[in-house]
Amino acid sequence: MLIDLTYSILNAIIQTFLQPRLKCIDGELCLITGAGGALGRLFALEFAKEGARLVHTFTVDLSKRQSIYEAAGRVREEVGEISILVNNAGVVAGRRLLECPDELLERTLLVNCHALFWMTKAFLPPMKVKNRGHIVTVASALGLFSTACVEDYCASKFGAVGFHESLTHELVAEGHVDIKTTLVCPYIVDTGMFAGCEIRRELRSLIPPLDPLYTVQQSMKAILAEQQMICIPRLMYIPYLARALLPWDANVATYRFMGGDKCMLPFIKNAELKTSNGHSKSS
């Protein structure tokens, strides 16, 4: 164990400073959920640049298990067995917990977490037969540490991280070492999903919202290098470790200093305004 532990640490350190060897995915069949969104479209373009074949557009309600299974059957019949699965789709309610309709809370959990189970059950079996494939889970930094007022999103992303890690352990335990997994945990990406979210003004230049293309390109490097996990930016590893190592009150004090305890309030206000404007227009 000590030999494996030492080797793993040294290898990680070396990979940090050296350009990792990137695998070829030319001709691989790739399926990306949420490909109609900002990150999904960019992932599709980046995979296409690497020569991967993309599953053509299928309209699927990821909040419904049967819709996923039916679409998976169509993919197998019309396109073939996929070798790269990118679970990218995500939603957020944008309401305070006690003011949020139950169906919106359920939708976040169904799309961001439950769908991972059904997508994996649908597409993993052929990968196991061939002992070959790659499963990517696009989670969030808010799946590693939490903040206030987005309980649905944090819960769903913590669930996504837990699902991904357990699945990875299972594949290794079963000897499916050539089925790779990559967990992607980005900070807030500037796609409009969390429009208005702001940390303390003095720190905004240090941790600005991520450019979508940069986020995807960094994710692609990790995927092609068969890296098990990536936080974007690397600065996000600090609060991840701090959450585990520091007392609860110390983490709370840090969040308050950074403005993290109230950073979602402008976002929720924007979401509420959009909702009310939408209702007034429809009425």
Side-chain angles (χ1 to χ4, degrees):
M1 184 196 74
L2 290 175
I3 292 173
D4 288 343
L5 184 63
T6 303
Y7 171 79
S8 299
I9 293 173
L10 290 175
N11 185 58
I13 293 172
I14 292 171
Q15 293 298 326
T16 300
F17 295 100
L18 297 180
Q19 181 68 29
R21 185 177 181 179
L22 305 182
K23 69 178 179 181
C24 176
I25 58 171
D26 187 49
E28 300 284 348
L29 185 58
C30 175
L31 187 152
I32 304 167
T33 65
L39 287 185
R41 287 195 299 270
L42 290 171
F43 267 117
L45 291 172
E46 292 299 313
F47 273 103
K49 286 180 184 178
E50 296 294 329
R53 297 182 296 126
L54 299 173
V55 173
H56 294 303
T57 304
F58 285 78
T59 301
V60 185
D61 186 346
L62 290 175
S63 69
K64 296 181 180 178
R65 181 180 61 229
Q66 195 56 39
S67 177
I68 291 174
Y69 286 159
E70 289 174 358
R74 288 179 56 204
V75 169
R76 285 192 294 270
E77 292 175 4
E78 300 175 21
V79 187
E81 300 293 355
I82 70 167
S83 54
I84 302 175
L85 171 61
V86 182
N87 285 311
N88 162 75
V91 296
V92 63
R95 305 276 192 91
R96 286 177 173 271
L97 176 62
L98 298 183
E99 299 169 359
C100 186
D102 292 348
E103 56 270 21
L104 287 184
L105 295 173
E106 290 176 339
R107 179 173 176 263
T108 302
L109 272 295
L110 290 170
V111 173
N112 295 3
C113 184
H114 292 199
L116 303 180
F117 289 81
W118 320 137
M119 290 294 297
T120 303
K121 288 187 73 174
F123 294 107
L124 179 58
M127 294 185 191
K128 282 191 170 184
V129 171
K130 297 177 181 178
N131 190 26
R132 183 170 173 273
H134 202 136
I135 297 177
V136 180
T137 303
V138 181
S140 169
L142 291 180
L144 303 174
F145 54 86
S146 58
T147 191
C149 301
V150 280
E151 290 88 348
D152 62 320
Y153 190 79
C154 288
S156 68
K157 291 303 183 178
F158 267 76
V161 171
F163 168 81
H164 180 95
E165 290 184 352
S166 182
L167 175 65
T168 301
H169 284 306
E170 178 179 326
L171 292 172
V172 173
E174 293 177 344
H176 294 294
V177 294
D178 288 325
I179 301 178
K180 307 300 181 180
T181 63
T182 299
L183 175 65
V184 179
C185 294
Y187 177 61
I188 293 171
V189 185
D190 190 15
T191 61
M193 184 175 183
F194 285 99
C197 176
E198 295 178 344
I199 60 172
R200 185 171 178 168
R201 182 173 300 172
E202 294 84 354
L203 299 174
R204 289 174 197 169
S205 60
L206 180 63
I207 319 176
L210 296 171
D211 175 70
L213 181 58
Y214 171 81
T215 304
V216 170
Q217 289 175 340
Q218 292 299 305
S219 301
M220 286 297 298
K221 288 180 181 179
I223 294 166
L224 297 178
E226 296 182 343
Q227 184 175 328
Q228 286 85 0
M229 175 186 178
I230 181 172
C231 287
I232 309 171
R234 290 182 181 274
L235 196 61
M236 290 299 103
Y237 287 107
I238 296 176
Y240 175 40
L241 293 173
R243 179 180 180 272
L245 298 175
L246 296 180
W248 171 259
D249 288 343
N251 278 308
V252 171
T254 304
Y255 285 173
R256 285 179 173 173
F257 172 76
M258 297 184 66
D261 59 328
K262 298 180 180 179
C263 67
M264 289 293 173
L265 296 181
F267 154 67
I268 291 174
K269 185 175 181 179
N270 284 349
E272 290 174 345
L273 287 174
K274 289 181 180 178
T275 302
S276 62
N277 288 340
H279 285 164
S280 64
K281 289 180 179 177
S282 61
S283 60

